[in-house]
Amino acid sequence: MKRFLLTLPILTLSLAACTPAEQNAAIGGLGGAAVGAAISSDSDRTKGAIAGAAVGVIASQLIGPAPQSGKCYYRDQYGQKYIAAC
């Protein structure tokens, strides 16, 4: 319960970000931090959360929502952006 109460203000602030890209980065970072902390060992929870947050932010920027409903941006192996179904 303590963890939920501590993350509630952070989640609220992240959803108040200005642009959709900032909101996606905040949600990706929070989700990545949660997954990273959950899968790491007890002694490395902080490192797992930090690594997970970094991966979440990067993933949210590389694979993000497109301006069309039901479509997402993706990047191919050459770094080219394209839009496809999510």
Side-chain angles (χ1 to χ4, degrees):
M1 186 68 176
K2 283 184 182 180
R3 288 183 185 176
F4 177 73
L5 292 176
L6 292 174
T7 58
L8 186 61
I10 296 170
L11 180 61
T12 304
L13 290 174
S14 70
L15 294 177
C18 297
T19 65
E22 290 172 349
Q23 290 174 351
N24 289 337
I27 292 169
L30 286 173
V35 171
I39 63 172
S40 61
S41 66
D42 288 337
S43 63
D44 288 337
R45 294 245 188 253
T46 304
K47 291 178 185 176
I50 291 170
V55 170
V57 169
I58 291 169
S60 72
Q61 297 304 306
L62 292 177
I63 303 173
Q68 303 164 0
S69 179
K71 304 285 184 175
C72 290
Y73 284 119
Y74 295 97
R75 289 188 187 264
D76 63 10
Q77 66 268 26
Y78 305 109
Q80 304 284 330
K81 271 189 180 180
Y82 65 95
I83 298 175
C86 294

